[in-house]
Amino acid sequence: MTTTATLTERYIAATVRSLKPDAQDDVRAELEASIADAIEARLEAGESPTDAERAVLAELGDPGILAAGYADRPLHLIGPRFYLTWWRLLKLLLIIVPVCVLGGAALGQTIAGAPVGEIIASAIVATGGAIIHICFWTTLVFVVLERTGSSTSIDEWDVDQLLEITENGAGRNELIASLVFLGIAVGAVLWDRFRGFIPGEALPILNPDLWPWGMGLLLLLVAAEAVFAIIIFRRGGWTVGAAVVNTVLALAFLAWVLVLLLRGELVNPDFLAHVVTAGGDGFAAGDAEASGEGGIIRILAVVLGFGVAAGVVWDIVDGWIKTVRRRRP
């Protein structure tokens, strides 16, 4: 013969079944007493026994949540103790790793001579996989720390961790750094033209045929960058117009490099021949021109193109970030 359990009995059974056996009896007794007292109070207020019982159990809420409270078991994936550390680390990894994976996969496929579609597909797949792995494994580590009650020390916050208020690219130090960098770039170009970087030989790396017009355009872009840095300093910060100008200047420099790379006119052919010859006697004279130098040109073009493109993209993004920060109230 079976008997029908009351709502109270079913509620208590649902609460204690996930607890440790040695704690179930105590929790059962405590719940029976507290539920009975609450029902009795409602009965004295004039409610019916059925309505009083349902109301009391409804106030107690989900028995699973109540059981977690008795067992001191967290019902969140990552709690306040680890959340900010997890979020900061995850953001940092998502900023750095996927970009590196994207660039590395695209660079490797390009050097291997893969078609454009395959380069794009491989880079996207590799980047997507990296993002998934970063999110999963980073989160898993902190979930384990949360569930095991780890005593791993998390640095306590103090006022010394407050960041200095930056001027978003409008300060004097930023101006000096920009002008010094541009000056070094011009000095390197001129040194390469008249002295060269190969010890004992006046052999320029950049194609001498670019002088005067090709290199003149580059020096004009450098001068424009210097004027732009001074204007940013004088205006006291970045604006949308300044970010647009910065984008145009960066893209103009990228176009200058890529056009010359694709046309094979950026690097001095004599320098490439010197590199191939210095590599050893493995290349015969004809083979050096047919395979060695051609391979070097292609690899150099790919690596240099990716490097310049990465720098240009960062310069553009940095300008817009500074603009957005300055426009915030």
Side-chain angles (χ1 to χ4, degrees), residues 9-216:
E9 291 171 340
R10 289 156 56 189
Y11 185 92
I12 294 175
T15 301
V16 302
R17 66 186 176 190
S18 62
L19 300 178
K20 294 180 180 180
D22 56 353
Q24 290 184 3
D25 292 339
D26 292 338
V27 172
R28 185 185 299 275
E30 180 181 339
L31 281 177
E32 288 175 347
S34 62
I35 292 173
D37 291 342
I39 291 176
E40 183 178 355
R42 286 182 174 272
L43 291 175
E44 293 177 355
E47 295 186 21
S48 66
T50 301
D51 291 341
E53 183 181 27
R54 297 183 69 89
V56 169
L57 298 180
E59 287 180 355
L60 288 175
D62 190 323
I65 297 177
L66 189 61
Y70 279 111
D72 195 22
R73 183 172 60 243
L75 294 179
H76 45 259
L77 196 62
I78 301 175
R81 182 184 175 201
F82 295 107
Y83 179 82
L84 286 178
T85 304
W86 164 80
W87 180 235
R88 290 164 182 162
L89 177 60
L90 184 62
K91 287 192 296 183
L92 180 63
L93 293 175
L94 289 176
I95 289 172
I96 298 174
V97 177
V99 174
C100 295
V101 172
L102 176 66
L107 178 60
Q109 291 293 327
T110 304
I111 292 177
V116 175
E118 185 177 345
I119 294 174
I120 296 175
S122 299
I124 292 176
V125 170
T127 304
I131 292 174
I132 292 173
H133 279 285
I134 290 170
C135 293
F136 176 78
W137 292 110
T138 304
T139 303
L140 179 62
V141 169
F142 282 92
V143 169
V144 171
L145 292 176
E146 185 74 48
R147 292 297 181 274
T148 58
S150 173
S151 60
T152 302
S153 61
I154 302 296
D155 292 337
E156 296 291 337
W157 183 89
D158 59 61
V159 294
D160 293 331
Q161 297 178 8
L162 292 173
L163 300 177
E164 294 289 340
I165 298 177
T166 62
E167 297 171 300
N168 292 330
R172 187 180 300 274
N173 292 338
E174 187 78 14
L175 173 64
I176 294 174
S178 298
L179 294 180
V180 169
F181 174 78
L182 294 173
I184 292 174
V186 172
V189 169
L190 295 177
W191 184 276
D192 178 71
R193 175 64 181 88
F194 296 105
R195 298 296 298 272
F197 289 96
I198 304 300
E201 299 185 36
L203 186 62
I205 297 175
L206 297 177
N207 194 340
D209 292 340
L210 293 175
W211 293 85
W213 303 112
M215 298 306 298

